C-alpha cells in the first residue's frame, strides 16, 4: 500500500534564532553516537543497493540481468495509446510506474554518478550506476517524445492494488496518464527535465545521446514553467504537497550546470522561489538545489539571502546538536519524519550531508547555524551514523537492508519478491493471490537483494511482516539516495574524506 508524505516541514529560522547556544560544533569534540565506531562491509552494501534497482526494472531485461527471479514484464506498456512506454522502473512494492518519484530517482542517481565518480569507479560500480540512470532516461525519451506532452504514469494503482501478482504475470490495466498544455504538471515536467539534464552530464562522452537528453530537458523545463499547474492524477499515491517551485528551481539548476547558459542563471536569480526546509525527498528538492547552488555562489530568488545560507538552514534543522534543530531523531539516532518510506529521509540526508561537506571543503567554508560554525567533519559523521543505523547500528541490532548484515528483513512488501516464479502466461487469480502470497507469515521466496526497507517507526521498532508496508516496503528513491554515501564510505573510509 502507499503512504505518501504530507507537507514538508518549514524551518522557522526567526523563532529558532531566539535560542541561545554556546555549543562548539565540530566533529572533533562531538564523538560519534554509540561510542565504538561500528564498521560494515560498505562495498557489499553498495553493490547490493544498486542490485535492488535492477530488481525494479520494467520492460525487456538485458542478457546481463543479475536478478535471476526477474523476467520481462510490462511489454505492452503504452499499447493503449499505440505508443511504446516499455522500460523504466516499478516504484516500490507494486507494479505501477509513477513519473514523479521515478524522475527523482533518476535525478539523484545521475547526481550520484557525477559527485561520486571516482568512488564508484574504484568500487567497480560506475558502469552499473550509469546503466541504472540509462534505464530511466531511455524510458523518459519515449515518454517525452512529443512537445508539451509527457506520459507520466503507467498502471492504474487502484486496480493494481487489487491483485498481489508479480509484474511478469500481471493482467491488471496498464492505464496511461499524461500531461499536456490543458492538463499541466509542472512538478513532473520539471523533475523529468532535471533528470535528463543531470543525465546529459553523466553521458557527456556519448555525444548524441547526451544532446538528445539535454534538448528534451530544455523543452520540458520550458513546458513546466510556461504551463504552470500541479497535476493531481498521481494522487492519493503521490500528491505533490510542496508545490512545484522546488522542482522549477531544481530543474533550472541542473540545466544551468549542464549548459552554463545565462538564461537559467537569470531564472534562478530573479524568478525562482526558494525557501528553507528541513526535508529532502521525492516531493521536496529545495535543499538539493541549494547545496548545488551554494557552490555557484548565487543569491536566492532575487533576494539578498544566499543559497548557501539556505543549505546551512537545512543542516541546522537536521542536526540534533544545533539550536535550530527541528527534525525528530529517534532514541536510537535515526531521522524520523513520518512512517512509510521514512528511510528516504535517512538516506537523503546522508547523501546531501556528504555532498555538501565536499562543497564546503572545496570552497573552504563551514556551515553557520546562527553564529555557531559547524565543520564539514560533523556532517560526515552524522551521515555515517544514519547509514550505519540502516546497516545494523540500531537498537534492534539488525539490518534493514535485504540480504545484508545481521538478521536482515525477510518479508519485504513487494509483489515480485513474495510470489513464486510462475510460467509465462500463467493467469493469477487476483482474489486468491492475497491468501496465497501476501498473507502467509513466511519469508519471501525471492530475495530482494539490497532493498532498503521503509524502516522502523519513531520508537526504533520494526516489524518484519509483509502486511506492515510502512516498515517493509522498499522504494527506488530510498536506494538511489544511499548509493553515494555507501560509495564514499566504501572507498574513502569511515571519515569520508575525499581521497582525490
Ligand atoms: C561568493 O561571492 C561573494 C561576493 O561576490 C564573495 O565575497 C565570496 O568569496 C564568494 N564565495 C565563494 C565561495 O566563491
Ligand atoms: C508496523 O510496525 C511498527 C513497528 O513495530 C508499528 O509501530 C506499527 O504500528 C505497525 N503498523 C501496522 C499497520 O501494524
Amino acid at each position: 500500500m502507499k503512504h505518501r508524505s504530507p507537507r514538508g516541514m518549514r524551518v522557522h529560522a526567526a523563532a529558532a534564532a531566539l535560542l541561545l547556544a554556546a555549543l562548539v560544533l565540530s566533529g572533533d569534540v562531538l564523538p560519534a553516537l554509540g561510542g565504538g565506531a561500528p564498521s560494515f562491509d560498505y562495498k557489499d552494501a553498495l553493490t547490493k543497493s544498486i542490485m535492488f534497482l535492477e530488481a525494479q526494472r520494467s520492460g525487456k531485461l538485458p542478457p546481463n540481468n543479475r536478478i535471476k527471479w526477474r523476467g520481462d514484464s510490462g511489454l505492452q506498456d503504452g499499447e493503449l495509446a499505440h505508443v511504446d512506454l516499455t522500460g523504466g522502473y516499478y516504484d516500490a512494492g507494486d507494479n505501477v510506474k509513477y513519473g514523479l518519484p521515478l524522475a527523482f530517482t533518476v535525478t539523484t542517481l545521475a547526481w550520484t554518478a557525477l559527485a561520486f565518480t571516482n568512488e564508484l569507479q574504484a568500487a567497480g560500480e560506475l558502469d552499473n550506476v550509469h546503466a541504472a540512470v540509462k534505464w530511466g532516461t531511455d524510458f523518459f525519451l519515449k515518454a517525452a517524445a512529443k512537445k508539451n506532452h509527457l506520459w507520466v504514469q503507467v498502471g492504474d494503482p487502484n486496480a493494481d492494488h487489487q491483485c498481489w501478482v508479480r509484474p511478469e504475470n500481471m493482467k491488471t490495466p496498464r492505464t496511461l496518464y499524461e500531461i499536456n498544455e490543458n492538463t499541466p504538471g509542472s512538478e513532473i515536467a520539471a523533475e523529468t527535465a532535471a533528470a535528463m539534464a543531470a543525465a546529459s552530464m553523466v553521458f557527456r562522452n556519448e555525444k548524441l545521446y547526451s544532446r538528445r537528453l539535454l534538448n528534451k530537458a530544455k523543452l520540458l523545463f520550458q513546458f513546466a514553467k510556461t504551463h504552470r499547474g500541479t497535476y493531481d492524477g498521481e494522487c492519493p499515491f503521490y500528491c505533490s504537497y510542496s508545490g512545484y517551485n522546488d522542482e522549477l528551481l531544481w530543474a533550472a539548476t541542473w540545466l544551468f550546470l549542464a549548459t552554463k547558459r545565462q538564461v537559467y542563471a537569470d531564472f534562478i536569480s530573479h524568478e525562482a522561489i526558494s525557501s528553507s526546509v528541513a526535508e529532502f525527498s521525492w516531493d521536496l528538492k529545495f535543499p538539493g538545489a541549494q547545496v548545488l547552488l551554494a557552490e555557484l555562489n548565487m543569491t536566492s530568488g532575487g533576494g539578498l539571502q544566499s543559497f548557501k545560507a539556505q543549505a546551512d538552514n537545512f543542516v541546522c534543522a537536521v542536526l540534533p546538536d544545533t539550536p535550530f534543530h527541528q527534525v525528530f531523531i529517534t532514541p536510537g539516532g535515526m531521522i524520523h519524519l513520518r512512517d512509510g518510506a521514512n528511510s528516504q529521509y535517512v538516506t537523503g540526508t546522508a547523501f546531501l550531508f556528504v555532498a555538501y561537506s565536499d562543497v564546503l571543503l572545496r570552497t573552504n567554508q563551514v556551515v553557520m547555524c546562527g553564529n555557531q560554525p559547524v565543520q564539514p567533519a560533523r556532517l560526515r559523521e552524522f551521515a555515517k551514523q544514519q547509514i550505519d543505523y540502516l546497516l545494523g547500528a540500531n537498537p534492534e541490532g539488525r539490518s534493514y537492508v535485504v540480504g545484508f548484515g545481521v538478521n536482515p528483513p525477510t518479508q519485504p512488501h513487494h509483489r515480485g519478491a513474495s510470489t513464486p516464479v510462475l510460467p509465462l502466461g500463467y493467469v493469477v487469480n487476483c482474489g486468491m493471490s492475497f491468501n496465497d502470497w501476501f498473507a502467509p507469515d513466511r519469508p519471501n521466496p525471492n530475495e530482494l537483494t539490497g532493498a532498503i526497507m521503509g524502516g522502523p517507526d519513531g520508537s526504533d521498532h520494526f516489524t518484519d511482516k509483509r502486511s506492515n508496508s510502512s516498515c517493509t516496503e522498499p522504494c527506488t528513491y530510498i536506494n538511489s539516495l544511499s548509493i553515494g554515501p555507501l560509495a564514499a564510505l566504501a572507498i574513502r573510509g569511515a571519515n569520508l574524506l575525499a581521497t582525490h
Side-chain angles (χ1 to χ4, degrees), residues 72-323:
D72 299 345
S73 65
L75 296 181
Q76 269 81 51
D77 283 1
E79 214 162 65
L80 290 173
H82 311 291
V83 289
D84 174 11
L85 291 174
T86 59
Y89 290 99
Y90 302 115
D91 173 59
D94 57 7
N95 300 337
V96 179
K97 303 194 284 201
Y98 295 99
L100 183 58
L102 171 51
F104 179 67
T105 299
V106 174
T107 312
T108 51
L109 279 173
W111 188 357
T112 299
L114 295 167
F116 299 97
T117 313
N118 295 350
E119 291 81 358
L120 289 167
Q121 182 93 59
E125 294 289 354
L126 188 60
D127 289 348
N128 285 328
V129 173
H130 283 186
V133 174
K134 202 155 191 282
W135 199 264
T137 49
D138 282 350
F139 176 74
F140 294 145
L141 284 170
K142 300 178 197 176
K146 287 199 310 192
K147 202 179 163 194
N148 288 349
H149 179 275
L150 182 67
W151 296 106
V152 294
Q153 184 174 315
V154 182
D156 173 345
N158 292 309
D160 185 278
H161 293 174
Q162 298 305 308
C163 201
W164 194 261
V165 61
R166 67 200 284 264
E168 290 84 346
N169 296 88
M170 67 184 164
K171 294 277 179 232
T172 41
R174 302 303 284 167
T175 311
L176 303 173
Y177 302 73
E178 64 197 299
I179 56 172
N180 53 38
E181 287 163 357
N182 301 322
T183 312
S186 298
E187 285 93 342
I188 307 185
E191 184 64 57
T192 310
M196 293 173 107
S200 78
M201 298 168 74
V202 173
F203 299 118
R204 268 215 163 114
N205 293 335
E206 300 171 41
K207 289 221 158 43
L208 204 61
Y209 190 71
S210 178
R211 198 173 313 137
R212 283 177 70 203
L213 292 175
L214 192 53
N215 285 340
K216 287 294 178 197
K218 291 175 184 170
L219 291 171
L220 280 170
F221 177 68
Q222 188 65 29
F223 173 43
K225 76 182 174 78
T226 321
H227 300 280
R228 293 196 192 195
T230 291
Y231 174 73
D232 60 12
E234 301 200 337
C235 231
F237 305 98
Y238 279 101
C239 314
S240 171
Y241 298 94
S242 71
Y244 49 70
N245 287 320
D246 56 322
E247 280 87 4
L248 290 177
L249 177 70
W250 173 241
T253 302
W254 280 110
L255 278 160
F256 179 71
L257 290 170
T259 63
K260 296 288 188 292
R261 294 265 287 275
Q262 190 58 34
V263 50
Y264 300 112
D266 288 345
F267 180 86
I268 291 165
S269 303
H270 304 303
E271 260 191 86
I273 293 168
S274 182
S275 60
S276 292
V277 296
E279 170 183 332
F280 181 54
S281 68
W282 65 264
D283 185 27
L284 200 45
K285 293 95 191 195
F286 279 130
Q290 289 155 0
V291 162
L292 290 164
L293 292 167
E295 191 159 24
L296 298 176
N297 204 12
M298 287 193 230
T299 54
S300 159
L304 291 174
Q305 202 190 13
S306 73
F307 290 108
K308 158 90 172 44
Q310 293 184 332
D312 285 3
N313 286 345
F314 172 75
V315 173
C316 306
V318 170
L319 283 180
D321 41 356
T322 92

Side-chain angles (χ1 to χ4, degrees), residues 326-342:
Q326 191 185 341
V327 165
F328 178 74
I329 312 269
T330 63
M334 174 188 70
I335 292 174
H336 190 273
L337 266 59
R338 47 188 80 89
D339 285 328
N342 181 70

Side-chain angles (χ1 to χ4, degrees), residues 354-378:
V354 179
Y356 194 32
S357 71
D358 289 350
V359 168
L360 293 167
L361 286 179
R362 278 199 295 270
T363 56
N364 196 24
Q365 299 185 85
V366 297
V367 168
M368 294 303 294
C369 295
N371 55 11
Q372 303 298 324
V374 180
Q375 301 299 325
R378 174 62 184 136

Side-chain angles (χ1 to χ4, degrees), residues 457 461-463 468 471:
D457 65 14
H461 296 312
F462 180 82
T463 302
N468 192 319
C471 283

Side-chain angles (χ1 to χ4, degrees), residues 420-498:
V421 173
L422 303 164
L424 280 183
Y426 182 97
V427 180
V428 168
N429 178 331
C430 291
M432 295 302 291
S433 64
F434 286 87
N435 284 328
D436 291 348
W437 299 317
F438 174 78
D441 186 5
R442 60 175 182 233
N444 287 352
N446 310 309
E447 186 186 271
L448 190 60
T449 308
I452 302 173
M453 300 289 86
D457 65 14
S459 316
D460 299 300
H461 296 312
F462 180 82
T463 302
D464 185 16
K465 294 274 186 285
R466 204 172 295 115
S467 56
N468 192 319
S469 61
S470 97
C471 283
T472 60
E473 187 165 17
C475 289
T476 55
Y477 43 88
I478 300 178
N479 274 62
S480 69
L481 289 161
S482 75
I483 293 167
L486 285 170
L489 284 161
I491 300 303
R492 299 179 188 180
N495 67 7
L496 287 167
L497 284 173

